[in-house]
Amino acid sequence: MDLYGYWRSAATYRVRVALNLKGIGVHEIPIDLDKGEQDAPYFRAINPQGAVPALVEPGLPPLTQSLALLEYLEELHPHPALLPADPRGRARVRSLAAGIAADSHPLIVPRVRNYLMQREGFDATRWKAWQTQWFGEGLRTLEARLTTEPGTGKFCHGDMPTFADLCLMSCVIGVRVFKLDIGPTPTVDRIATACDELEAFARAHPKLQAGAPT
Amino acid sequence: MDLYGYWRSAATYRVRVALNLKGIGVHEIPIDLDKGEQDAPYFRAINPQGAVPALVEPGLPPLTQSLALLEYLEELHPHPALLPADPRGRARVRSLAAGIAADSHPLIVPRVRNYLMQREGFDATRWKAWQTQWFGEGLRTLEARLTTEPGTGKFCHGDMPTFADLCLMSCVIGVRVFKLDIGPTPTVDRIATACDELEAFARAHPKLQAGAPT
């Protein structure tokens, strides 16, 4: 399988961690988001949205969207499970994941940055305020839920990583890299430390991928 | 079951259509987003994110996030199916759905509007340009996929509605209501007409819900 991704793409990171946890080998092909390679005709033919990740199995159409890819990998390779066994548990994990992957991360991706810079004249300060707002709101909401909901364990749901932890970490890494001041999130931080200690997360880290600055 | 929602909430609409298609009755409780009721302490206790929809079964914690609720309803009430039977088909439908529900709609919700109005001084013209950009990009990407991918049928995937059609319609209704000029999307329009003809979609329409302007 080929995974079209980029070293610093949060959505690619989520899928990379899932592949590592499940022990699935892929060939990762970098699409340089900083050079706008996602808009090149050959990549638009792979994903008309012009976004990574895209997963391609030999001879089959590409599959896209990180949450859809996580579900697909879970169906084909159910062990180790990244969703709980019970429907309400799965609903909780999918909701925690969507709070980051749907309601937080899509606000700070390159196409939004380009619009705000080019059409609204954002400078670095206004962009950082925007990033801080949406990374912060995403992780503070997650913090509120993780500290009050009974399902939380060593990880977001129980004591094994799920889709929710992949999404949590994809956001925490962004906050660390951009040094965003989002206020205290002790439960998120505790779970991030638990993720950091797993080889599957460590090996998927953006800074270790091809193309990352040294 | 109680469904906390709002007449014009696109995310509530998706869940409402799924409930109608599956013949599941719920009691819908309006949360007035225009008055900021989503931020009231009693509702933040139901959903710390301060967003609708939230689904509450008697005596159990609330479940949130429209895509997570669709998956939950599908698991508990699998007939009629709103996901295809094959994993790659499910991956395609989930990807089409996420292109709208994760990458388009979260950019135009009240919390983003509030930020842009209050912190960036957006007026109605700049807000309409923003809406047009993200509704347009979401539906044009969907159009590109629907016209080129072999899975498309009478609906987004085959000849029965799926999660993807719920998401498509939640966006199309916004474009119609706000009279946004997003360019031609003939395949999206054809599928929207097919959805319009189904009673489950018609009955879920925002304008027919409690609180909608007459």
Side-chain angles (χ1 to χ4, degrees):
Chain A
M1 277 195 299
D2 290 335
L3 179 69
Y4 291 85
Y6 193 49
W7 67 271
R8 66 170 177 73
S9 155
T12 306
Y13 166 85
R14 289 172 210 137
V15 175
R16 203 186 287 133
V17 177
L19 290 164
N20 288 349
L21 285 166
K22 291 178 179 294
I24 307 166
V26 296
H27 173 56
E28 192 166 327
I29 301 168
I31 299 298
D32 191 331
L33 303 185
D34 295 309
K35 290 184 179 162
E37 200 176 350
Q38 69 274 28
D39 297 319
Y42 90 90
F43 187 69
R44 287 271 173 176
I46 292 167
N47 183 5
Q49 193 181 3
V52 290
L55 188 71
V56 181
E57 296 174 286
L60 294 171
L63 300 176
T64 57
Q65 285 285 345
S66 67
L67 293 180
L69 294 179
L70 295 182
E71 297 277 357
Y72 180 70
L73 294 171
E74 187 73 8
E75 292 184 357
L76 263 65
H77 304 273
H79 305 291
L82 301 182
L83 284 174
D86 61 306
R88 287 190 61 90
R90 282 197 292 277
R92 178 172 183 257
V93 165
R94 287 173 170 137
S95 173
L96 293 169
I100 296 296
D103 281 349
S104 176
H105 177 244
L107 286 150
I108 54 84
V109 295
R111 63 182 171 276
V112 176
R113 183 175 187 273
N114 290 344
Y115 183 99
L116 291 172
M117 293 277 184
Q118 292 163 16
R119 300 263 303 256
E120 289 294 338
F122 267 41
D123 57 14
T125 303
R126 285 160 74 194
W127 174 249
K128 188 161 185 174
W130 176 264
Q131 282 183 307
T132 304
Q133 172 73 17
W134 304 118
F135 274 121
E137 187 160 309
L139 286 181
R140 285 190 301 272
T141 296
L142 194 55
E143 177 74 19
R145 294 190 57 181
L146 292 171
T147 53
T148 57
E149 295 176 0
T152 309
K154 179 180 177 184
F155 293 97
C156 288
H157 192 83
D159 295 328
M160 297 294 286
T162 64
F163 291 0
D165 301 284
L166 277 50
C167 292
L168 176 150
M169 278 306 285
S170 73
C171 195
V172 165
I173 290 172
V175 168
R176 290 174 180 167
V177 167
F178 296 117
K179 297 183 171 57
L180 305 178
D181 181 8
I182 62 160
T185 53
T187 310
V188 166
D189 297 347
R190 172 179 69 70
I191 291 170
T193 301
C195 293
D196 279 332
E197 290 169 357
L198 293 182
E199 188 264 351
F201 284 81
R203 192 154 46 91
H205 197 286
K207 71 184 177 191
L208 297 182
Q209 309 311 311
T214 49
Chain B
M1 280 196 296
D2 291 334
L3 179 69
Y4 291 85
Y6 192 49
W7 66 270
R8 66 170 176 74
S9 155
T12 305
Y13 166 84
R14 287 171 211 138
V15 175
R16 203 186 286 132
V17 177
L19 291 164
N20 288 350
L21 285 166
K22 290 177 178 295
I24 306 166
V26 297
H27 174 57
E28 192 166 330
I29 302 169
I31 300 298
D32 192 331
L33 303 185
D34 294 309
K35 290 184 178 162
E37 200 176 350
Q38 70 273 29
D39 296 319
Y42 90 89
F43 187 70
R44 286 272 175 177
I46 292 168
N47 183 5
Q49 193 181 3
V52 292
L55 188 71
V56 182
E57 296 174 287
L60 294 171
L63 300 176
T64 58
Q65 284 284 346
S66 67
L67 293 179
L69 295 179
L70 295 181
E71 297 277 356
Y72 180 71
L73 294 171
E74 187 73 7
E75 291 184 356
L76 263 66
H77 304 272
H79 305 290
L82 301 182
L83 284 175
D86 60 307
R88 288 189 60 91
R90 283 197 292 278
R92 178 171 182 257
V93 166
R94 286 173 171 137
S95 174
L96 293 170
I100 297 296
D103 281 348
S104 175
H105 177 244
L107 286 150
I108 55 84
V109 294
R111 62 181 172 279
V112 176
R113 183 174 186 273
N114 290 342
Y115 183 99
L116 291 172
M117 294 275 183
Q118 292 163 17
R119 300 264 302 259
E120 290 294 339
F122 268 41
D123 56 14
T125 303
R126 286 160 73 194
W127 174 249
K128 188 160 185 174
W130 176 264
Q131 282 182 308
T132 304
Q133 171 73 18
W134 304 118
F135 274 120
E137 188 160 309
L139 286 181
R140 285 190 300 272
T141 296
L142 194 54
E143 177 73 20
R145 294 189 57 181
L146 292 171
T147 52
T148 56
E149 295 177 1
T152 308
K154 179 180 177 185
F155 292 96
C156 288
H157 192 85
D159 294 329
M160 297 294 286
T162 63
F163 291 0
D165 302 285
L166 279 49
C167 292
L168 175 151
M169 277 305 285
S170 72
C171 195
V172 165
I173 290 173
V175 169
R176 290 174 181 168
V177 168
F178 298 117
K179 298 182 170 58
L180 305 178
D181 181 9
I182 62 160
T185 53
T187 310
V188 166
D189 297 347
R190 171 179 71 69
I191 292 170
T193 301
C195 292
D196 280 331
E197 289 169 359
L198 293 183
E199 188 265 350
F201 282 82
R203 192 154 46 91
H205 197 285
K207 70 184 179 190
L208 298 182
Q209 309 310 311
T214 48

